[in-house]
Amino acid sequence: YDISNISGFESVGSMVVFEDGRPKRNDYRKFKIKTVQGPNDYASMEEVLTRRIQRYLDGDEKFAPLPDLLLIDGGQEHARVAEQVLAETGLDVPVLGMVKDDRHRTRALITARGQELGIQQTPALFALIGTVQEEVHRFAIAYHHQKHTRSAKRSQLDGIPGVGEARKKRLLQHFGTVTAVKNATLEQLSAVVPEAAARAVYGKFHG
């Protein structure tokens, strides 16, 4: 599990799954942080894990079965948060945090009570944990960027008179990007949406 944000904004949580040492991408899950304001990784992790466990308890097959081990991107405090969530739901799953070195690589695993477990002396284990860390970062950042891009599109096309969700979708499907919509001529816009709406879109970006 990993949390990704930019200065606390557009926070998202990500879950990647490995089975027999290999990524099981069909089981990956994304979480939009809903209850936490500002940059708070601990509270965000608590929300993500609570929602994930609750989905399992509710019988959602997409979140079953429970894993043999939870790896949390973060140190002792992140592991403690995860153990607390499990304890509150009555579930028993081992939890380990991931301790980083100066290069932001996982150098050791750590329990919620602060006991470090060395991994560097076992090359295969060190490589596996490094792969898990890279994968959860990649997945979290990709989701964050996707979400941020969607927000940018929404904000730029919102509030234009005569342009609702259907017409915004039509414009984006036709032109591909908001930048292309901005650069379109009035005639090009009129070929996609009614003339009044086209004039409103053109006026939005060209004054």
Side-chain angles (χ1 to χ4, degrees):
Y1 293 83
D2 188 26
I3 303 295
S4 173
N5 62 59
I6 296 179
S7 300
F9 295 99
E10 300 285 354
S11 292
V12 299
S14 298
M15 176 182 104
V16 300
V17 179
F18 276 65
E19 186 173 76
D20 296 327
R22 297 182 179 182
K24 194 177 180 184
R25 292 188 172 87
N26 286 340
D27 287 352
Y28 286 14
R29 298 290 179 261
K30 306 169 183 175
F31 301 84
K32 176 182 176 181
I33 304 303
K34 299 177 178 179
T35 64
V36 180
Q37 301 297 322
N40 189 330
D41 272 9
Y42 300 135
S44 297
M45 186 64 73
E46 181 181 6
E47 179 189 323
V48 166
L49 292 172
T50 299
R51 287 165 56 190
R52 183 260 182 269
I53 295 299
Q54 191 59 52
R55 293 286 290 272
Y56 166 77
L57 293 174
D58 290 342
D60 189 337
E61 293 181 357
K62 293 180 180 179
F63 289 87
L66 286 177
D68 299 311
L69 171 69
L70 287 180
L71 281 176
I72 310 297
D73 189 271
Q76 178 183 354
E77 185 63 21
H78 285 85
R80 188 195 65 77
V81 168
E83 280 202 354
Q84 181 179 333
V85 171
L86 288 164
E88 289 173 353
T89 53
L91 299 176
D92 184 18
V93 180
V95 176
L96 292 172
M98 303 164 77
V99 183
K100 307 297 192 303
D101 61 15
D102 293 339
R103 295 183 178 181
H104 202 66
R105 299 177 306 182
T106 300
R107 65 169 178 79
L109 302 176
I110 191 168
T111 69
R113 286 154 296 286
Q115 178 187 0
E116 283 198 13
L117 308 175
I119 59 174
Q120 293 179 319
Q121 65 271 32
T122 309
L125 178 59
F126 183 68
L128 173 61
I129 297 301
T131 300
V132 173
Q133 177 195 343
E134 290 172 4
E135 182 68 353
V136 75
H137 281 179
R138 179 199 66 78
F139 190 58
I141 291 170
Y143 177 40
H144 181 272
H145 286 175
Q146 176 190 44
K147 188 169 175 292
H148 187 70
T149 300
R150 286 176 179 171
S151 295
K153 288 180 180 179
R154 284 197 299 269
S155 63
Q156 290 179 323
L157 293 178
D158 272 349
I160 301 176
V163 181
E165 291 301 320
R167 287 177 181 172
K168 278 194 289 186
K169 183 177 180 181
R170 199 179 311 158
L171 285 166
L172 288 173
Q173 285 178 336
H174 181 85
F175 292 102
T177 65
V178 173
T179 300
V181 175
K182 286 183 182 180
N183 295 332
T185 66
L186 180 58
E187 289 74 19
Q188 289 172 327
L189 293 168
S190 297
V192 182
V193 294
E195 185 177 350
R199 288 184 181 279
V201 173
Y202 189 83
K204 163 84 173 182
F205 297 118
H206 299 282

